Amino acid sequence: MDKRPIVEAMQRFYENQNISFHVPGHKHGALSELPRAFIDVMKFDYTELAGLDDYHHPEGIIEEAQVLLAKTYGAQHSYFLVNGSTVGNLAMVYATCREGDRVLVQRNAHKSVFHALELVGADPIFLTPEWDEVTHSATHVSLATVTAAIEQYADAKAILLTHPTYYGVTNPTMGEAIRIAHSHGIPVLVDEAHGAHFIATDEFPMSALEMGADVVVQSAHKTLPAMTMGSYLHIQSNLVSKEEVNRYLRMLQSSSPSYVLLASLDDARHFIGTYEQEDYQLFAKTRKQFIDSLRTIGSLEVVEVDDPLKLLLRVPKFTGYSLQKQMEREGVYAELADPEQVLLILPLLKARHQFPFAEIRMKIKNAVEKCLKQQRDKVDIDYSHELQALSTLAVSYKELQSAESEWILYTKAARRICAGMVIPYPPGIPLFVRGEQITTTKLEMLADYLARGAMIQGEHDLGRKQLLVLKEEKT
């Protein structure tokens, strides 16, 4: 477990001072005109050379590193992903579903899950999540909803769940939901992008992999010290074919993987694999001291959640966007802001690490004080809208391919069929999905987001208050 096969091989390659007559064209950074710090990294930007293995058919250091990854997480098979968790979500859907297959999917899944379902041409059954009053966000799907969905759609080829949520809320019934799905022969695919650190200690929430999920995708770059786009995919299943997952990973991922990224994934695996109780004790002590210090700041509310790495900050009568803006002026950049709060992702410290929490606390205090001098911009909104527990597309993905669309004012879009995704970002959870019928409730939620200044991604023209919908047949 103490080895880092990719890192060690790349270091040996670097020390040999080899001459490059191969790609990439910057020739170990020699031809680059980037700043020196960039060029220092480019010296390790290798390709699949002798001694560095073949990413898509590994037999050497990459295979060894992935075997260590599987042992660390307790999986049958594990993979390094260089195209982010997005490609992991795509691969696990392609490996289990075909065009027209019914798939049960958590309605607040990441946009990449919806893209995967559309690309495959599946028939999604959306499972509405519960509303969490602590974080003011949609969380997990209740066990009652999962049970009802499986009973009604027993022919489903898979169920896709998210654990934990972006806000660090876990599903207390995940293990039972997995058991029920398996009793019907339905594989459980889990987007665990924000849970790669859960195995560090028993003090953290349990990973979906530990609870028996068939395929789990984790963003190593979100909570472990891996570079952006670095992720893991784990398989432990008799219901999902390892060969099928691997086949689609070879199709969907780059044929020119970044070795710098692979090295960071190898290093992140080593980091979590060697995390000790002493490390956790330091982390827990430091975290408590930081939270206690934040709670001495007047008008600042600090909210803890299931995941110890997530922390919510609120200033009454002000949106999270206002607090975020003032924090950024102080040089403190949070993970996200929403109409209610700011979300921080804390560092997973080891005993040897230092982090300037005292300085950060002062900067946050300054940000809060500056925020309080501004005009109040928060309006109390009830986000816990009553939504149907199970819903389906009104128009199939196949029909959408040839359907004509048009732009209309979103105030007139009720009961029309959405032709473009509308995604408040972050956290990247679609409000409208292509092929869904637009409801009044969802339009009210959109109006709430717009009123609070939320960033909205997708196919829309909300600057002119327009949504893309399918054309209606004239009678």
Side-chain angles (χ1 to χ4, degrees), residues 138-157:
T139 57
H140 59 275
V141 177
S142 72
L143 186 61
T145 297
V146 170
T147 302
I150 291 175
E151 289 177 352
Q152 188 171 342
Y153 301 99
D155 61 342
K157 298 301 181 183

Side-chain angles (χ1 to χ4, degrees), residues 138-427:
T139 57
H140 59 275
V141 177
S142 72
L143 186 61
T145 297
V146 170
T147 302
I150 291 175
E151 289 177 352
Q152 188 171 342
Y153 301 99
D155 61 342
K157 298 301 181 183
I159 179 169
L160 287 94
L161 300 174
T162 302
H163 176 85
T165 69
Y166 208 135
Y167 291 79
V169 181
T170 58
N171 183 350
T173 62
M174 172 70 84
E176 183 64 13
I178 292 171
R179 188 194 66 76
I180 291 172
H182 284 169
S183 70
H184 289 77
I186 300 174
V188 181
L189 316 179
V190 179
D191 179 352
E192 197 170 76
H194 287 262
H197 61 291
F198 282 179
I199 65 161
T201 168
D202 291 341
E203 306 294 335
F204 285 173
M206 186 177 289
S207 166
L209 195 68
E210 296 176 275
M211 289 186 272
D214 296 85
V215 185
V216 174
V217 176
Q218 300 169 330
S219 293
H221 68 93
K222 293 193 187 303
T223 56
L224 302 184
M227 293 177 65
T228 299
M229 290 180 67
S231 294
Y232 300 140
L233 183 148
H234 309 286
I235 305 173
Q236 55 166 13
S237 178
N238 296 320
L239 299 173
V240 179
S241 166
K242 169 212 169 186
E243 288 72 26
E244 280 292 279
V245 172
N246 196 15
R247 183 165 76 93
Y248 282 108
L249 285 176
R250 291 198 299 269
M251 289 182 186
L252 295 166
Q253 294 205 97
S254 172
S255 59
S256 301
S258 164
Y259 267 76
V260 177
L261 185 48
L262 287 172
S264 81
L265 284 169
D266 188 23
D267 182 64
R269 192 278 315 158
H270 177 269
F271 178 94
I272 200 68
T274 57
Y275 201 86
E276 303 290 347
Q277 190 62 22
E278 177 188 2
D279 298 318
Y280 171 74
Q281 289 171 352
L282 178 279
F283 163 78
K285 179 181 178 181
T286 305
R287 175 183 178 275
K288 183 179 184 304
Q289 291 173 342
F290 179 54
I291 292 173
D292 288 346
S293 72
L294 290 178
R295 286 185 168 141
T296 67
I297 299 174
S299 298
L300 181 66
E301 295 179 2
V302 182
V303 180
E304 298 180 67
V305 294
D306 300 330
D307 181 359
L309 290 192
K310 300 294 178 69
L311 202 62
L312 299 174
L313 304 182
R314 299 174 186 155
V315 178
K317 305 301 181 182
F318 290 88
T319 63
Y321 307 118
S322 291
L323 178 57
Q324 179 189 44
K325 183 177 180 180
Q326 297 303 331
M327 287 174 60
E328 289 179 354
R329 287 178 174 175
E330 293 292 324
V332 178
Y333 283 76
E335 173 63 16
L336 67 81
D338 67 21
E340 303 289 329
Q341 59 223 338
V342 163
L343 171 65
L344 305 184
I345 300 182
L346 303 179
L348 182 62
L349 301 175
K350 284 192 171 183
R352 66 178 181 273
H353 293 144
Q354 300 291 325
F355 208 75
F357 283 114
E359 179 184 350
I360 294 165
R361 186 260 179 197
M362 183 58 65
K363 290 178 179 293
I364 292 175
K365 181 176 182 290
N366 293 339
V368 171
E369 291 174 349
K370 291 177 181 178
C371 190
L372 292 171
K373 293 178 182 179
Q374 307 299 311
Q375 184 176 356
R376 295 178 178 182
D377 63 345
K378 184 175 182 296
V379 177
D380 289 333
I381 297 172
D382 180 13
Y383 291 98
S384 55
H385 300 279
E386 289 292 331
L387 299 174
Q388 188 177 352
L390 304 179
S391 61
T392 61
L393 293 179
V395 174
S396 72
Y397 288 132
K398 186 173 184 179
E399 292 173 299
L400 282 170
Q401 292 177 5
S402 58
E404 294 186 33
S405 58
E406 62 180 345
W407 294 98
I408 65 169
L409 291 173
Y410 79 79
T411 54
K412 297 182 179 180
R415 303 191 64 79
R416 296 292 296 272
I417 306 302
C418 196
M421 294 183 78
V422 177
I423 311 163
Y425 197 90

